[in-house]
Amino acid sequence: MAYSDTLLNHYENPQNVGSLDKADPQVGTGLVGAPACGDVMKLQLKIDDDGVILDAKFKTFGCGSAIASSSLVTTMVKGKSIDEAAKIKNADIAAELSLPPVKIHCSVLAEDAIKAAIADYRKKKSGQDI
Amino acid sequence: MTGKVASCWRCHERVGGPVCPSCGTIQPPPVDPDHFAVLGLDRCWTLTPKDVDRAWRARSRLVHPDRFAGKSAVQRRMSLQWTAAINSARRALRDPVARGWYLATGRARPRDEGGPPLDLDFLETVFELQVQLDDDPDGVAAQARALRDQAMTDLDARLHAWEAGDRQAPPDGPA
Protein backbone atom coordinates (compact mmCIF):
# COMPACT_ATOMS: atom_id res chain seq x y z
CA MET A 1 0.00 0.00 0.00
CA ALA A 2 1.45 3.35 -0.99
CA TYR A 3 1.15 6.64 0.83
CA SER A 4 -0.32 9.58 -1.07
CA ASP A 5 1.85 12.22 -2.69
CA THR A 6 0.34 14.89 -0.44
CA LEU A 7 1.38 12.93 2.62
CA LEU A 8 4.88 12.26 1.31
CA ASN A 9 5.31 15.94 0.41
CA HIS A 10 4.38 17.03 3.90
CA TYR A 11 6.63 14.41 5.40
CA GLU A 12 9.64 15.21 3.23
CA ASN A 13 9.15 18.98 3.25
CA PRO A 14 7.27 19.69 6.43
CA GLN A 15 5.79 23.18 6.56
CA ASN A 16 6.13 25.55 9.51
CA VAL A 17 8.43 23.49 11.70
CA GLY A 18 9.59 25.43 14.72
CA SER A 19 8.25 27.17 17.73
CA LEU A 20 6.74 30.46 18.85
CA ASP A 21 7.27 32.23 22.14
CA LYS A 22 5.24 30.29 24.64
CA ALA A 23 5.02 33.30 26.97
CA ASP A 24 3.56 35.58 24.28
CA PRO A 25 -0.06 36.35 25.21
CA GLN A 26 -0.97 36.06 21.51
CA VAL A 27 0.38 32.52 21.30
CA GLY A 28 -1.63 29.44 22.16
CA THR A 29 0.31 26.21 22.68
CA GLY A 30 -1.19 22.77 22.29
CA LEU A 31 0.79 19.76 23.41
CA VAL A 32 -0.82 16.40 22.84
CA GLY A 33 0.32 12.81 22.81
CA ALA A 34 -0.85 9.32 22.04
CA PRO A 35 -0.24 6.80 24.80
CA ALA A 36 -0.54 3.93 22.32
CA CYS A 37 2.29 4.97 20.01
CA GLY A 38 4.32 7.46 22.05
CA ASP A 39 3.92 10.31 19.57
CA VAL A 40 4.06 13.84 20.92
CA MET A 41 2.87 16.82 18.92
CA LYS A 42 3.30 20.49 19.79
CA LEU A 43 1.27 23.03 17.84
CA GLN A 44 1.53 26.75 18.44
CA LEU A 45 -0.79 29.38 17.00
CA LYS A 46 -0.22 33.12 16.97
CA ILE A 47 -3.60 34.80 17.08
CA ASP A 48 -4.43 38.49 16.71
CA ASP A 49 -7.02 40.36 18.73
CA ASP A 50 -9.68 39.70 16.07
CA GLY A 51 -9.18 35.99 16.59
CA VAL A 52 -7.40 35.44 13.27
CA ILE A 53 -4.54 32.96 13.16
CA LEU A 54 -1.47 34.85 11.94
CA ASP A 55 1.10 32.11 12.24
CA ALA A 56 1.35 28.45 13.11
CA LYS A 57 4.34 26.33 14.04
CA PHE A 58 4.68 22.71 14.99
CA LYS A 59 7.17 20.21 16.26
CA THR A 60 6.20 16.56 16.24
CA PHE A 61 8.05 13.50 17.39
CA GLY A 62 6.39 10.55 15.79
CA CYS A 63 5.73 8.66 12.60
CA GLY A 64 5.56 10.14 9.12
CA SER A 65 1.78 10.35 9.21
CA ALA A 66 1.88 12.28 12.49
CA ILE A 67 4.42 14.71 11.04
CA ALA A 68 2.44 15.11 7.82
CA SER A 69 -0.81 15.60 9.76
CA SER A 70 0.64 18.38 11.89
CA SER A 71 2.39 20.01 8.93
CA LEU A 72 -0.86 20.01 6.97
CA VAL A 73 -2.73 21.47 9.94
CA THR A 74 -0.38 24.46 10.14
CA THR A 75 -1.04 25.24 6.48
CA MET A 76 -4.80 24.81 6.93
CA VAL A 77 -5.24 27.09 9.93
CA LYS A 78 -3.17 30.10 8.84
CA GLY A 79 -5.45 33.01 7.99
CA LYS A 80 -8.48 31.29 9.47
CA SER A 81 -10.36 32.53 12.51
CA ILE A 82 -10.01 30.40 15.60
CA ASP A 83 -13.69 29.48 15.31
CA GLU A 84 -13.12 28.16 11.80
CA ALA A 85 -9.95 26.37 12.85
CA ALA A 86 -11.75 24.73 15.73
CA LYS A 87 -14.13 23.17 13.20
CA ILE A 88 -11.37 21.25 11.43
CA LYS A 89 -12.10 17.58 11.93
CA ASN A 90 -9.71 14.68 11.91
CA ALA A 91 -11.68 13.30 8.94
CA ASP A 92 -10.73 16.39 6.92
CA ILE A 93 -7.05 15.82 7.69
CA ALA A 94 -7.28 12.09 7.02
CA ALA A 95 -9.04 12.70 3.70
CA GLU A 96 -6.55 15.36 2.57
CA LEU A 97 -3.62 13.03 3.25
CA SER A 98 -5.44 9.82 2.26
CA LEU A 99 -4.34 8.30 5.55
CA PRO A 100 -4.67 4.52 5.73
CA PRO A 101 -7.01 3.24 8.45
CA VAL A 102 -4.15 2.29 10.78
CA LYS A 103 -2.94 5.91 10.73
CA ILE A 104 -6.23 7.64 11.42
CA HIS A 105 -5.18 8.21 15.03
CA CYS A 106 -2.48 10.61 13.75
CA SER A 107 -5.16 12.88 12.33
CA VAL A 108 -7.08 12.63 15.60
CA LEU A 109 -3.95 13.80 17.39
CA ALA A 110 -3.62 16.76 15.00
CA GLU A 111 -7.24 17.76 15.59
CA ASP A 112 -6.65 17.51 19.34
CA ALA A 113 -3.57 19.71 18.96
CA ILE A 114 -5.59 22.49 17.29
CA LYS A 115 -8.21 22.32 20.04
CA ALA A 116 -5.56 22.31 22.77
CA ALA A 117 -3.76 25.32 21.25
CA ILE A 118 -7.01 27.30 20.97
CA ALA A 119 -7.99 26.35 24.51
CA ASP A 120 -4.60 27.52 25.78
CA TYR A 121 -4.98 30.84 23.93
CA ARG A 122 -8.49 31.36 25.31
CA LYS A 123 -7.28 30.59 28.80
CA LYS A 124 -4.56 33.19 28.46
CA LYS A 125 -7.08 35.73 27.13
CA SER A 126 -9.59 35.18 29.90
CA GLY A 127 -6.75 35.53 32.40
CA GLN A 128 -5.94 38.93 30.91
CA ASP A 129 -9.49 40.19 30.87
CA ILE A 130 -10.07 39.59 34.55
CA MET B 1 0.51 -27.68 43.37
CA THR B 2 -2.64 -25.89 44.41
CA GLY B 3 -1.46 -26.13 47.99
CA LYS B 4 -4.37 -27.62 49.92
CA VAL B 5 -4.83 -31.34 49.65
CA ALA B 6 -8.44 -32.35 49.21
CA SER B 7 -10.18 -35.54 48.25
CA CYS B 8 -11.40 -36.36 44.77
CA TRP B 9 -15.11 -35.75 44.27
CA ARG B 10 -15.47 -39.08 42.47
CA CYS B 11 -13.09 -41.60 44.03
CA HIS B 12 -12.41 -39.78 47.33
CA GLU B 13 -8.66 -40.39 47.06
CA ARG B 14 -6.32 -37.59 48.06
CA VAL B 15 -5.74 -35.02 45.35
CA GLY B 16 -3.48 -31.94 45.32
CA GLY B 17 -3.78 -30.73 41.74
CA PRO B 18 -6.39 -30.10 39.06
CA VAL B 19 -6.63 -33.79 38.19
CA CYS B 20 -7.00 -36.75 40.54
CA PRO B 21 -3.89 -38.93 40.31
CA SER B 22 -5.90 -42.03 41.19
CA CYS B 23 -8.83 -41.91 38.77
CA GLY B 24 -7.89 -39.13 36.33
CA THR B 25 -11.00 -37.10 37.11
CA ILE B 26 -10.72 -33.34 36.80
CA GLN B 27 -11.39 -31.47 40.03
CA PRO B 28 -13.55 -28.35 40.42
CA PRO B 29 -11.52 -25.21 39.84
CA PRO B 30 -10.84 -23.10 42.96
CA VAL B 31 -13.72 -20.76 43.75
CA ASP B 32 -11.68 -17.70 44.61
CA PRO B 33 -8.49 -18.49 42.78
CA ASP B 34 -5.05 -17.27 43.62
CA HIS B 35 -3.38 -16.86 40.25
CA PHE B 36 -0.12 -18.33 41.53
CA ALA B 37 -1.85 -21.36 43.01
CA VAL B 38 -3.84 -21.92 39.82
CA LEU B 39 -0.57 -22.36 37.95
CA GLY B 40 1.02 -24.33 40.80
CA LEU B 41 3.52 -21.56 41.48
CA ASP B 42 4.73 -20.13 44.78
CA ARG B 43 3.72 -16.52 45.45
CA CYS B 44 6.84 -14.81 44.27
CA TRP B 45 7.74 -11.79 42.23
CA THR B 46 11.00 -13.09 40.87
CA LEU B 47 9.69 -15.23 38.05
CA THR B 48 10.52 -14.90 34.39
CA PRO B 49 7.86 -14.93 31.68
CA LYS B 50 9.34 -18.34 30.75
CA ASP B 51 8.67 -19.69 34.25
CA VAL B 52 5.07 -18.60 33.96
CA ASP B 53 4.74 -20.04 30.46
CA ARG B 54 6.24 -23.32 31.60
CA ALA B 55 3.82 -23.58 34.51
CA TRP B 56 0.94 -22.62 32.26
CA ARG B 57 1.89 -25.25 29.70
CA ALA B 58 2.21 -27.98 32.32
CA ARG B 59 -1.23 -27.11 33.70
CA SER B 60 -2.64 -26.82 30.21
CA ARG B 61 -1.58 -30.38 29.43
CA LEU B 62 -3.46 -31.57 32.52
CA VAL B 63 -6.72 -29.70 32.07
CA HIS B 64 -6.99 -29.25 28.30
CA PRO B 65 -10.57 -29.74 27.02
CA ASP B 66 -9.34 -32.24 24.40
CA ARG B 67 -8.45 -34.63 27.22
CA PHE B 68 -11.98 -34.57 28.56
CA ALA B 69 -13.88 -34.62 25.26
CA GLY B 70 -15.10 -38.14 25.94
CA LYS B 71 -15.88 -37.54 29.62
CA SER B 72 -19.09 -36.46 31.32
CA ALA B 73 -20.61 -33.02 30.81
CA VAL B 74 -19.54 -32.11 34.35
CA GLN B 75 -15.91 -32.94 33.64
CA ARG B 76 -16.01 -31.16 30.29
CA ARG B 77 -17.30 -28.04 32.00
CA MET B 78 -14.64 -28.20 34.73
CA SER B 79 -11.98 -28.54 32.06
CA LEU B 80 -13.19 -25.36 30.40
CA GLN B 81 -13.32 -23.56 33.75
CA TRP B 82 -9.78 -24.66 34.55
CA THR B 83 -8.61 -23.55 31.14
CA ALA B 84 -10.14 -20.13 31.66
CA ALA B 85 -8.56 -19.92 35.11
CA ILE B 86 -5.04 -20.78 33.94
CA ASN B 87 -5.35 -18.36 31.03
CA SER B 88 -6.36 -15.55 33.39
CA ALA B 89 -3.53 -16.47 35.73
CA ARG B 90 -1.00 -16.43 32.93
CA ARG B 91 -2.25 -13.04 31.80
CA ALA B 92 -2.06 -11.68 35.35
CA LEU B 93 1.43 -12.99 36.09
CA ARG B 94 3.43 -13.18 32.89
CA ASP B 95 4.38 -9.53 32.71
CA PRO B 96 6.55 -8.48 35.70
CA VAL B 97 4.71 -5.19 36.19
CA ALA B 98 1.35 -6.94 36.09
CA ARG B 99 2.70 -9.54 38.54
CA GLY B 100 3.87 -6.81 40.90
CA TRP B 101 0.49 -5.15 40.61
CA TYR B 102 -1.23 -8.42 41.51
CA LEU B 103 1.07 -9.05 44.49
CA ALA B 104 0.60 -5.52 45.77
CA THR B 105 -3.16 -5.22 45.30
CA GLY B 106 -4.46 -8.78 45.22
CA ARG B 107 -6.21 -7.95 41.97
CA ALA B 108 -5.16 -8.55 38.40
CA ARG B 109 -4.05 -5.41 36.68
CA PRO B 110 -6.86 -4.06 34.51
CA ARG B 111 -6.29 -4.78 30.86
CA ASP B 112 -4.50 -2.03 29.06
CA GLU B 113 -6.87 0.11 27.04
CA GLY B 114 -4.44 2.56 25.50
CA GLY B 115 -2.98 3.50 28.87
CA PRO B 116 -3.90 6.22 31.28
CA PRO B 117 -4.80 9.67 29.96
CA LEU B 118 -1.67 11.70 29.46
CA ASP B 119 -1.29 14.70 31.68
CA LEU B 120 0.44 17.84 30.52
CA ASP B 121 3.48 17.56 32.81
CA PHE B 122 4.19 14.11 31.52
CA LEU B 123 3.80 15.22 27.90
CA GLU B 124 6.15 18.12 28.51
CA THR B 125 8.71 15.77 29.98
CA VAL B 126 8.42 13.45 26.99
CA PHE B 127 8.65 16.38 24.59
CA GLU B 128 11.71 17.81 26.31
CA LEU B 129 13.38 14.40 26.29
CA GLN B 130 12.73 14.08 22.58
CA VAL B 131 14.28 17.49 21.98
CA GLN B 132 17.33 16.48 24.02
CA LEU B 133 17.48 13.19 22.17
CA ASP B 134 17.72 15.11 18.90
CA ASP B 135 20.47 17.37 20.25
CA ASP B 136 22.52 14.96 22.30
CA PRO B 137 21.63 11.29 21.84
CA ASP B 138 24.68 10.02 23.74
CA GLY B 139 23.91 12.23 26.73
CA VAL B 140 20.32 11.01 26.87
CA ALA B 141 21.46 7.41 26.54
CA ALA B 142 23.84 7.89 29.48
CA GLN B 143 21.03 9.50 31.47
CA ALA B 144 18.72 6.59 30.64
CA ARG B 145 21.35 4.06 31.71
CA ALA B 146 21.85 5.89 35.01
CA LEU B 147 18.09 5.95 35.60
CA ARG B 148 17.83 2.26 34.81
CA ASP B 149 20.70 1.38 37.14
CA GLN B 150 19.15 3.45 39.92
CA ALA B 151 15.77 1.82 39.34
CA MET B 152 17.29 -1.66 39.43
CA THR B 153 19.11 -0.83 42.69
CA ASP B 154 15.88 0.47 44.24
CA LEU B 155 14.02 -2.57 43.00
CA ASP B 156 16.57 -4.97 44.47
CA ALA B 157 16.44 -3.17 47.82
CA ARG B 158 12.66 -3.32 47.89
CA LEU B 159 12.58 -6.93 46.82
CA HIS B 160 15.00 -7.89 49.59
CA ALA B 161 12.96 -5.97 52.13
CA TRP B 162 9.77 -7.52 50.83
CA GLU B 163 11.13 -11.05 50.81
CA ALA B 164 12.62 -10.52 54.28
CA GLY B 165 9.09 -10.10 55.58
CA ASP B 166 8.32 -6.42 55.21
CA ARG B 167 5.39 -7.24 52.97
CA GLN B 168 3.64 -3.92 53.13
CA ALA B 169 3.04 -2.39 49.74
CA PRO B 170 5.48 0.45 49.13
CA PRO B 171 3.93 3.83 49.97
CA ASP B 172 3.93 4.91 46.34
CA GLY B 173 2.85 1.56 44.93
CA PRO B 174 -0.35 1.09 42.95
CA ALA B 175 -3.51 1.88 44.89
Side-chain angles (χ1 to χ4, degrees), chain A residues 15 41-43 58-60 65-75 93 97 106 110:
Chain A
Q15 305 294 303
M41 188 179 282
K42 183 158 92 173
L43 176 70
F58 85 94
K59 198 156 175 59
T60 291
S65 297
I67 290 165
S69 295
S70 29
S71 169
L72 172 70
V73 157
T74 58
T75 63
I93 301 162
L97 297 173
C106 300

Side-chain angles (χ1 to χ4, degrees), chain A residues 115-128:
Chain A
K115 295 207 158 67
I118 293 174
D120 182 57
Y121 171 75
R122 290 202 164 123
K123 206 171 118 196
K124 275 186 180 172
K125 280 295 260 190
S126 66
Q128 274 178 348

Side-chain angles (χ1 to χ4, degrees), chain A residues 14-29:
Chain A
Q15 305 294 303
N16 305 305
V17 176
S19 60
L20 301 167
D21 178 12
K22 202 182 163 188
D24 184 341
Q26 283 196 310
V27 171
T29 301

Side-chain angles (χ1 to χ4, degrees), chain A residues 22 31-36 38-42 59-61, chain B residues 114-118 120 123-128 130-131 134:
Chain A
K22 202 182 163 188
L31 182 59
V32 293
D39 288 2
V40 271
M41 188 179 282
K42 183 158 92 173
K59 198 156 175 59
T60 291
F61 295 97
Chain B
L118 297 180
L120 202 55
L123 277 175
E124 271 167 7
T125 308
V126 172
F127 194 86
E128 277 313 310
Q130 293 278 16
V131 173
D134 262 4

Side-chain angles (χ1 to χ4, degrees), chain B residues 32 56 83 99 109 113 130 133 137 140 169:
Chain B
D32 187 13
W56 174 84
T83 302
R99 185 159 64 245
R109 185 174 62 160
E113 282 158 11
Q130 293 278 16
L133 200 53
V140 174

Side-chain angles (χ1 to χ4, degrees), chain B residues 3 6-7 28 35 38 44-45 60 84 111 128 141 145 153-154 163 174:
Chain B
S7 50
H35 286 314
V38 163
C44 168
W45 189 77
S60 192
R111 273 203 242 182
E128 277 313 310
R145 274 192 296 271
T153 311
D154 290 353
E163 271 159 11

Side-chain angles (χ1 to χ4, degrees), chain B residues 5 10 23 30 32 36 44 54 61 64 69 77 79 82 84 90 92 97 104 114 129 140 157 170 172:
Chain B
V5 174
R10 269 185 80 208
C23 69
D32 187 13
F36 289 96
C44 168
R54 206 175 297 125
R61 270 195 293 271
H64 199 281
R77 194 177 63 240
S79 154
W82 262 106
R90 183 191 191 203
V97 176
L129 267 176
V140 174
D172 51 355

